[in-house]
Amino acid sequence: MSTPQPLAHAPQFDDPTQQRTAAVLGMWAFLVTEVLFFGVLFAGYAVCRWRFPDAFAAGSRHTDLPMGAIETGVLLASSCAAALALRDVQLGGRRAATRLLVLTAALGATFLVMHGFEYTDEYREGLVPGLRYTQDGPLAGKMEFFFYLYFAITGLHSVHVLVGVVLMLVMALRNARGRFRATYFTPVELAALYWHLVDIVWIFVFPLVYLVGRAG
Amino acid sequence: MRIPESTGSYARDNYLSQGRPGLRGWLLTHDHKRVAILYALAITGFFALGAVAAALVRLTLVQPDSQWISPETYDKSFTFHGIVMVWFFLIPSIPNTLGNFLLPLMIGARDVAFPRLNLFSWYLFMLGGLFTIATLLLGGVDTGWTFYTPFSTMFSNTHVIMAAAGVFVSGFASIVSGMNFIVTVHTMRAPGMRWFRLPLFVWAIYATSVVMMLATPVLAMTLLLIALERLAGVGIFDPALGGDPVLFQHFFWFYSHPAVYIMVLPAMGVTSELICCGVRRRVFGYRFMAWSMLGIAFIGFLVWGHHMFVAGQSMYASIAFSLLSFAVAVPSAIKVFNWLATMYKGVIDFHAPMLYALGFVGLFTLGGLTGLFLAAVALDVSLTDTYFVVAHFHYIMVGGAVMAYLGGIHFWWPKITGRLYSEPLARFAAILMFVGFNVTFFPQYVLGYLGMPRRYHDYPPPFQALNVVSSAGAAILAVAYLLPLWYLGRSLWRGASAGPNPWHATGLEWTTPSPPPHDNFPEPPVVERGPYDYRDP
Ligand SMILES: [Cu+2]
C-alpha cells in the first residue's frame, strides 16, 4: 500500500474537478447510446407484439417465470450492492467496498448461470429460431418472432452483464490495491452507473418477456 | 489589405515537431491535431476509392446498353460508391478532420476531453474500412448502400454481412467521436468562453455530435439484425413468415435521414466562418444561427418517413412526415438568408475559401429546394427512385458538404500546416469544381423529371445525350478534385510561411502560432468578446 499522493489529473484538464465532471458526463452520454441501442429491439418487440398478440402471449407462456423472477431479484440485489459499494468508497471504507464489489460481480455471474440454464431448457424444447425450432400448431410460425426477439434482447443483455461482471472485478481489485479513496472514486461511480443501466434494461425485459400474456 | 498574406514565420516548435517522433509517434498519438491528420489521410484514400466506383458508373452510363461492365458489377459499383462515400468519407469528413483539429483550439482547450478515446475512434474507423475493403476484394455487395430487406436478408448472394460489419464498426467510431465532442464543448471551454461566444463552427459540431450519438446506435442495431437474420434464416423483417420489411426501412431511415445532417451541419458551420471572414463582418443573427442548427438537428429526427411514401406506409403517416419535412426547411432557410444578410452590401473578398463558401450556399439552396419537391407526397410518387432524387442528394452532399469541406481545408490549411498555398490555382480549382459539379448533376434533375429510374444498368436511348453531358461533367469534376492534391501538397515544401493569422480572421485558433504547439496555446487564453469581432472597414 502506498501513501496517498496528491490528486493527479490528465494533462488536458485544469484540475481534478473538471476531469470528474467530464468523465461522468461522458458516461451518461454513453448510457444514452445504450438506451437507443436496446431501443431498436424494444421497438421491434412493440411492432411484432401489436401485430401478433396471441402468438406473443403463447410464447410468453413457454418462458420460465420462477426462474425469471429469481433472476430479477438477483439483479436488483446486485444493483443495491453496487450502490452500497460506491457509498463505502466515498466514506473511506475500503474493505467493505471491496467485498461489496465482489458481491456485485458474483450476483451478476449467478444471473448469467441461471440464464444459461434457461437457454439450455429452451434449446431442448426446440424454441431456438435458426438453431432448433420444433414447435407446431397454428401459432408456432408467429411465435418464432417472439423467441427471435427474446434471444436477441436477452442475449445482448447478457453480454452487457458479462462486461459488467468483469468491470466490477477490476474495480474490486483496484480498490483492494488502494487506488480509490474518499476524494477519488470516479471509476467506481462510472462502473456503478453502467451496472444500474444493465439492471434497468432487465426491469423492462422481465415484464415484456415473462409476464405478458400470462394473465389472459 | 491583401489576404492571405504572410504574417510571421513558420513556428518551429509545433505539434508536428514536438512529441514522439516517427511512425509510432503518429500511431500512438493522443494529440487531437495529429488524430485529425490521421483521419484526413484515411478519408482522402476512401474518397479516391469511392470516386473510382463512381467513375465506373458514369462510364457505363455513357451508352444506353453498355457491355463494358456486367449489370452485376454495375450494382456492386454503385453500392460500393454509396457505402464508402457516405460512411467512410462524408460522415467523418468535417467532424473528424477539421472538427478534431479546430474544436479544442476554438474553445481554448489543450485537447479534447478524452484523447485516448479519440485515437480509438480512428482505429475503429480503420477497422471498419478494412472490412469494407475486404468486402470489395471478396467480390463486393450488391444491395445498394441502403441494405433494403428482404433483398439483403433473403436474396442477395453477395457479402452483405461483411459489408454491414464494416459500417457497424465505423458507426462506433462515429458514436465515440460524438460523445467526445459533446463532453469537450460542455466541460473544456476556456475562461470567458460562454455558450453564446462559441464560434458557429463549434455550434455546428456540437449539433452534429448530438445527432451522431443519438442516431448511430439505431443503425448499428439494425445492421446487427440484418446479419442475425441472414445467419438464422428467420427474423422480424422476413415477409415470408409475416414479418415486416418496411420496419427495416423505418429503423434505417431513423438513422440515415439524420445522417444527412451529420454531413451538412458541419458544412454550415464551416460556411459561416468562411463568409464572416470573406466579408469581414459579424454574422447576421448569431443566436438565430446557433438555434437553427439545434433546430435542424432536432426536427431532423422526425422526418424519416419521407423515404417511405411509396413503401406502403399509411397515408396519414405520410402526410405528417411530409409536413415535418417542410418544417425542416425553415431553420435551413434562416441560415441561407442570414448568410446573404451578412454579405449584403458588404465588400466581398473572393479568395478561394470564400468561393467554396459561396458555392456551398448556391448548391445547398438548389439541393434544399428540390428536397421540398420530394417532400411533397404527390410529387414524390412520380419522382421517387428517379435521377431527380440522385441529383437532389448529390447537390446537398457533394455540392454542399464536399464544397464546404474543401473550403474549410483551404481556409485552415495555413493554420494546420503553417504554409500558404497558391491562391490563383486554388481559385481556379474552386470555380472548375462548381462548373464541373453543375454539368454533372444538373442534367440528372432533368433526366429524373423525364422519368429515368436510378440504379439501372441500361436505359432507353433518348436519355443518352443528357447522360453523356453528365459523364463529361464528372471528368471535369475529377480534374477539379485532383488539383488541390497537387498545389496543397506542393505548398508543404514550397509554400511561404503563413504566420499566425494570414486571413486576419477572428477566433481563438488564429491567436496561436501556425502550426500550433503541442499544447495549442503558449499562454492559456481568456475570452473577452464574441466570435466575429470584425470591424466594418
Ligand atoms: Cu430524408
Side-chain angles (χ1 to χ4, degrees), chain A residues 42 45 56 59-61 63 118 146 149-150 153-154 202 204-212 214:
Chain A
F42 285 122
Y45 176 95
F56 269 55
S60 182
R61 268 176 242 122
T63 56
E118 268 192 87
F146 175 85
L149 286 164
Y150 163 79
I153 296 175
T154 58
W202 182 259
F204 283 89
V205 173
F206 179 62
L208 289 181
V209 169
Y210 295 85
L211 298 184
V212 149
R214 275 209 148 84

Side-chain angles (χ1 to χ4, degrees), chain B residues 506-518:
Chain B
T506 63
L508 283 183
E509 78 271 28
W510 301 107
T511 61
T512 189
S514 306
H518 178 269

